[in-house]
């Protein structure tokens, strides 16, 4: 039985809630890649006085897309969704100042390495193209807005890790 992953509410895939849930939905999912979408609106908690969401928030959009990838894999295997941890990024590149209200964006994340809960994803954020399937259309090299290699960790028992002191 095929499941339409685009119909699954994002809150069933990631642990983020209310104003910290920044992505709106899964657009596509296959093999080691996910595409999520978000639209910036006036209620975005990161919206600055200049009228946009700063580009550095792009890393959080990427991290939440990766969380949706992991959450979707758990969901499809009838497992509970577990929190993961953003460890950092390498080669973060940006071509824009920020993300603007009423604009929709896609975030692709492809898992390129996984070992014992540690994963590395190639993530790209770009302007959504209305009505286009992000898997059917190749995004041109110069169309990206933000791109990075993102390192994440999902332990077997996140609650144990959260209870430990870092000092």
């Amino acid at each position: 039985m095929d499941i339409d992953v685009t119909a699954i509410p994002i809150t069933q895939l990631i642990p983020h809630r209310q104003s910290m849930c920044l992505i709106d939905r899964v657009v596509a999912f296959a093999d080691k890649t996910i595409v999520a979408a978000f639209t910036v609106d006036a209620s975005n908690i990161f919206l600055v006085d200049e009228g946009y969401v700063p580009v550095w928030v792009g890393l959080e959009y990427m991290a939440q897309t990766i969380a949706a990838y992991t959450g979707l894999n758990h969901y499809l295997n009838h497992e509970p969704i577990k929190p993961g941890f953003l460890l950092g990024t390498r080669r973060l590149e940006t071509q824009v100042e920020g993300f603007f209200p009423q604009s929709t964006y896609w975030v692709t994340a492809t898992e390129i390495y996984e070992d014992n809960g540690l994963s590395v994803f190639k993530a790209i954020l770009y302007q959504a193209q209305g009505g286009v399937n992000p898997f059917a259309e190749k995004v041109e090299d110069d169309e990206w807005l933000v791109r990075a290699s993102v390192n994440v960790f999902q332990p077997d028992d996140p609650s144990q890790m959260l209870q430990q002191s870092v000092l």
Side-chain angles (χ1 to χ4, degrees), residues 27-38:
V27 176
F29 177 77
D31 195 27
K32 299 266 185 191
T33 299
I34 189 168
V35 181
F38 68 92

Side-chain angles (χ1 to χ4, degrees), residues 1-19:
M1 173 169 90
D2 287 335
I3 296 176
D4 179 8
V5 297
T6 64
I8 302 169
I10 200 66
T11 55
Q12 291 187 21
L13 303 178
I14 66 174
H16 303 75
R17 294 294 177 258
Q18 289 129 7
S19 62

Side-chain angles (χ1 to χ4, degrees), residues 92-109:
L92 176 68
E93 299 175 88
T94 66
Q95 296 195 110
V96 293
E97 189 174 3
F99 311 107
F100 293 89
Q102 310 313 312
S103 295
T104 301
Y105 301 89
W106 285 337
V107 184
T108 64

Side-chain angles (χ1 to χ4, degrees), residues 21-157:
C21 185
L22 301 181
I23 59 174
D24 300 327
R25 65 191 181 283
V26 172
V27 176
F29 177 77
D31 195 27
K32 299 266 185 191
T33 299
I34 189 168
V35 181
F38 68 92
T39 301
V40 176
D41 63 27
S43 68
N44 189 300
I45 64 170
F46 294 105
L47 198 65
V48 295
D49 291 340
E50 291 80 9
Y52 61 87
V53 173
V55 70
W56 56 264
V57 181
L59 183 57
E60 181 62 22
Y61 289 118
M62 291 174 175
Q64 288 192 23
T65 299
I66 292 166
Y69 169 84
T70 304
L72 190 49
N73 279 302
H74 288 299
Y75 181 92
L76 295 173
N77 289 312
H78 307 287
E79 300 169 349
I81 294 170
K82 302 184 295 188
F85 301 92
L86 170 63
L87 298 180
T89 182
R90 295 183 62 191
R91 293 182 292 271
L92 176 68
E93 299 175 88
T94 66
Q95 296 195 110
V96 293
E97 189 174 3
F99 311 107
F100 293 89
Q102 310 313 312
S103 295
T104 301
Y105 301 89
W106 285 337
V107 184
T108 64
T110 302
E111 187 177 48
I112 56 175
Y113 174 83
E114 192 281 323
D115 184 29
N116 223 14
L118 177 66
S119 296
V120 178
F121 285 80
K122 175 184 174 185
I124 303 171
L125 195 153
Y126 52 98
Q127 185 82 42
Q129 300 168 7
V132 176
N133 178 336
F135 281 154
E137 294 292 322
K138 181 183 180 311
V139 177
E140 298 300 322
D141 288 340
D142 63 347
E143 291 181 8
W144 61 272
L145 304 176
V146 181
R147 63 184 177 188
S149 176
V150 181
N151 304 317
V152 297
F153 179 63
Q154 186 171 54
D156 289 331
D157 186 0

